[in-house]
Amino acid sequence: MKNYSIARSRRLRSTPYTSRIEKQGVTAYTSYNHMLLPAAFGSLEESYYHLKENVQVWDVAGERQVEISGKDASKLVQLMTCRDLSKSKIGRCYYCPIIDDRAGIINDPVILKLREDRWWISIADSDVILFAKGLAIGKKFDVKIFEPNVDILAVQGPKSFMLMEKIFGKKITEMKFFGFDYFEFAGAKHLIARSGWSKQGGYEIYVENTESGLNLYDKLFELGKEFNVKAGCPNLIERIESALLSFGNDMDYDDNPLECGLDKYVNLDTDINFLGKEKLKEIKKKGVTRKLMGVIIDAKEISVSKSINLINGKNSKIGELRSGVYSPHFKKVIGIAMIDKPYCKVSEIFKISINGEVFEGKVCDLPFI
Ligand code: THG
C-alpha cells in the first residue's frame, strides 16, 4: 500500500517535542485529539523488542487533559463515568469509561484527582470537553472546564525505573501503580504518575512548564545513554498483545463497557449518579449480545483501516476485526475483534479475507500475554 505524508496545519497541532522527535527519526504520525501523535520510528518490530528490554521516551502530548474544577466538579466527573469515584483519593489515577445516556462509550480516559474540587481527565481520541461543557450547561453546574497546557512525556520500558531514579531519586521508584506525585527538576515541579500505555512499566510526566519539560526531555536522553534509551511511541504490537484498548479502534460510541470487557470499571451497586446507569443495569440483566475477544489468524501481515468481517463455515458473520498486527512472538497475526456472543468461545474458528486472500483464524481470550 502506498504511504502518503501528513499535511501540516494549525488544526493538526504540533507538540513541544515535535522538533525533537523529527530529529530523532519519527517516520509516521497519526492524529490524536487534533494533535500529532508519533506512530513509528522505523521498524515496528525493532521498536517492540527495544521497548520490552530497554527504555523509551514517548511524545504523548496528544493525550490531552480536560480540567474540571469548581464547586460541582466532582458531581460532573461522576456523572460522566460508570466507575464509582466516591472513595477516590487525591494523588491517584483512575481508568474510567465515560459513557452517554445509552451506555455507549464516549471515551476511556485516565482520570486524575488533583484536589477534591479539581480533576484532570486524560483523554483518548474524542472531544470530551464538548460533552462535559454540554452537561455542565444543561445541569447548570458551577464548574470551570478547559484544556490546560499539559504535554505528557511517557517514559516506558523495564529500564525506565533506573533512568527516572537517576533524575528524581529513590522516592520515584516507591510510587505505586496509578499513583502520582510532584517531583522537582531544575527548579520546576512536574506531576509524575506511575502509568503509561504499555505493560512494560514506567511513568508519565505531565509537563506544564514547557521550558523545564524540554530540558527534562534532553536530560532523559543524556542520562539514558547507559540504558540504551530511544525515542518511541505507543507500539501497536505491544499494546495488542497486552490488550490495552484503543478508543475509536477497538471500541466506539456504539459499544458499551460490558461488551468491551470493562466490567471492572462498572459500578452498578452503589448510589452514585451517572448517565446511562439504568441502561447499563438493563444490559447487565439481559446479558450482552457480543464481546471484545482476541483473535489469532494464520497470516503474516495485516493493516486494519476499517472493520473486517469474520465469517464461519456457514458463511455467516460471527463478528468483526477492529485492530490487528503481525506478532513476532506468536508468528501470526493477532487482533481484537467484537464477536457475537454465541461464538465467544476459545478456539472458535472463522475465515477472514485480507487483501483479497482468505485466511483461517480462531478466537481466544484477552490479553494475549
Ligand atoms: N495515559 C494517560 N492518558 C491516556 C492514556 C494513557 N489517555 C488516553 C488513553 N491512554 C486511555 N486509555 C487507557 C487504556 C488503558 C490504560 C490506560 C489508559 C491502562 N490500563 C491498565 C490495564 O489495563 O491493565 C490498568 C488500569 C487499572 O487497572 O486501573 O493503563 O495511557 N495519561
Side-chain angles (χ1 to χ4, degrees):
M1 214 184 343
K2 188 174 181 315
N3 270 318
Y4 296 87
S5 63
I6 197 158
R8 307 285 275 267
S9 70
R10 197 173 88 94
R11 192 164 50 68
L12 179 53
R13 301 176 287 179
S14 296
T15 87
Y17 319 113
T18 301
S19 64
R20 280 173 170 67
I21 65 170
E22 292 187 347
K23 279 196 202 106
Q24 289 168 316
V26 63
T27 51
Y29 281 120
T30 182
S31 95
Y32 204 77
N33 289 316
H34 319 282
M35 203 171 225
L36 291 171
L37 178 69
F41 286 80
S43 150
L44 207 59
E45 284 192 27
E46 274 172 34
S47 290
Y48 162 82
Y49 287 118
H50 179 267
L51 171 63
K52 290 180 71 131
E53 284 159 22
N54 301 281
V55 50
Q56 294 183 351
V57 177
W58 298 356
D59 168 1
V60 283
E63 293 168 356
R64 303 309 291 167
Q65 307 308 302
V66 175
E67 176 164 331
I68 302 186
S69 62
K71 192 165 76 56
D72 295 323
S74 295
K75 230 191 316 186
L76 175 57
V77 172
Q78 184 62 81
L79 184 64
M80 292 196 287
T81 179
C82 52
R83 181 164 182 181
D84 185 348
L85 292 173
S86 62
K87 294 188 179 68
S88 58
K89 295 188 180 71
I90 294 166
R92 298 280 314 159
C93 306
Y94 298 90
Y95 179 48
C96 299
I98 290 183
I99 61 171
D100 65 16
D101 55 323
R102 293 163 46 252
I105 302 178
I106 294 292
N107 201 287
D108 70 328
V110 174
I111 298 184
L112 289 78
K113 186 172 187 171
L114 303 170
R115 279 197 325 243
E116 285 305 329
D117 62 351
R118 184 169 175 242
W119 302 75
W120 276 352
I121 306 181
S122 186
I123 60 174
D125 188 25
S126 72
D127 295 310
V128 171
I129 193 165
L130 305 180
F131 189 67
K133 282 188 181 187
L135 286 172
I137 295 165
K139 292 273 184 187
K140 298 189 168 58
F141 280 162
D142 180 359
V143 285
K144 185 175 161 202
I145 303 171
F146 70 106
E147 188 188 287
N149 289 321
V150 175
D151 298 288
I152 300 182
L153 271 182
V155 183
Q156 299 286 295
K159 293 185 183 162
S160 59
F161 302 100
M162 288 188 288
L163 174 54
M164 291 292 272
E165 183 178 355
K166 254 181 116 176
I167 300 179
F168 296 103
K170 182 129 191 76
K171 195 180 136 210
I172 202 149
T173 62
E174 287 156 5
M175 197 156 45
K176 291 207 176 78
F177 183 63
F178 265 45
F180 71 80
D181 209 338
Y182 295 86
F183 294 85
E184 201 173 297
F185 176 75
K189 271 200 170 165
H190 296 278
L191 187 162
I192 303 182
R194 172 108 181 263
S195 56
W197 214 54
S198 86
K199 284 281 191 183
Q200 306 311 312
Y203 300 89
E204 291 182 302
I205 308 166
Y206 289 70
V207 172
E208 291 178 85
N209 179 324
T210 304
E211 196 187 322
S212 173
L214 288 172
N215 289 333
L216 177 53
Y217 187 98
D218 296 336
K219 195 71 168 179
L220 285 163
F221 282 91
E222 188 189 315
L223 297 185
K225 273 192 197 119
E226 65 171 295
F227 306 120
N228 191 20
V229 67
K230 284 201 167 124
C233 55
N235 185 283
L236 187 63
I237 308 169
E238 197 277 341
R239 81 97 183 155
I240 292 182
E241 284 182 357
S242 306
L244 287 167
L245 299 184
S246 169
F247 179 77
N249 289 321
D250 306 321
M251 75 275 204
D252 216 318
Y253 306 133
D254 292 327
D255 308 312
N256 69 58
L258 299 175
E259 291 170 334
C260 299
L262 297 173
D263 310 48
K264 257 206 304 192
Y265 314 107
V266 176
N267 299 120
L268 296 172
D269 302 327
T270 62
D271 61 2
I272 53 163
N273 183 30
F274 63 84
L275 283 178
K277 191 174 185 181
E278 289 315 308
K279 185 72 194 170
L280 266 183
K281 278 186 180 168
E282 206 181 291
I283 294 167
K284 191 166 182 184
K285 199 167 153 206
K286 279 194 195 144
V288 294
T289 58
R290 49 191 201 149
K291 260 193 110 74
L292 277 188
M293 299 285 293
V295 292
I296 301 194
I297 301 164
D298 280 321
K300 293 286 179 204
E301 61 181 325
I302 194 166
S303 167
V304 180
S305 56
K306 58 180 183 214
S307 302
I308 308 175
N309 288 344
L310 308 179
I311 308 291
N312 71 5
K314 293 178 186 149
N315 256 344
S316 327
K317 177 179 171 183
I318 68 152
E320 59 183 35
L321 182 73
R322 294 180 169 186
S323 292
V325 73
Y326 175 76
S327 158
H329 178 84
F330 292 98
K331 299 194 167 47
K332 287 181 182 188
V333 163
I334 60 169
I336 296 174
M338 187 58 91
I339 307 279
D340 293 345
K341 199 66 211 279
Y343 309 101
C344 287
K345 292 188 291 251
V346 170
S347 294
E348 180 79 24
I349 286 172
F350 60 80
K351 288 197 170 65
I352 178 171
S353 167
I354 304 171
N355 288 332
E357 208 181 324
V358 177
F359 295 90
E360 193 163 279
K362 59 180 188 206
V363 174
C364 64
D365 284 323
L366 290 173
F368 291 90
I369 291 179

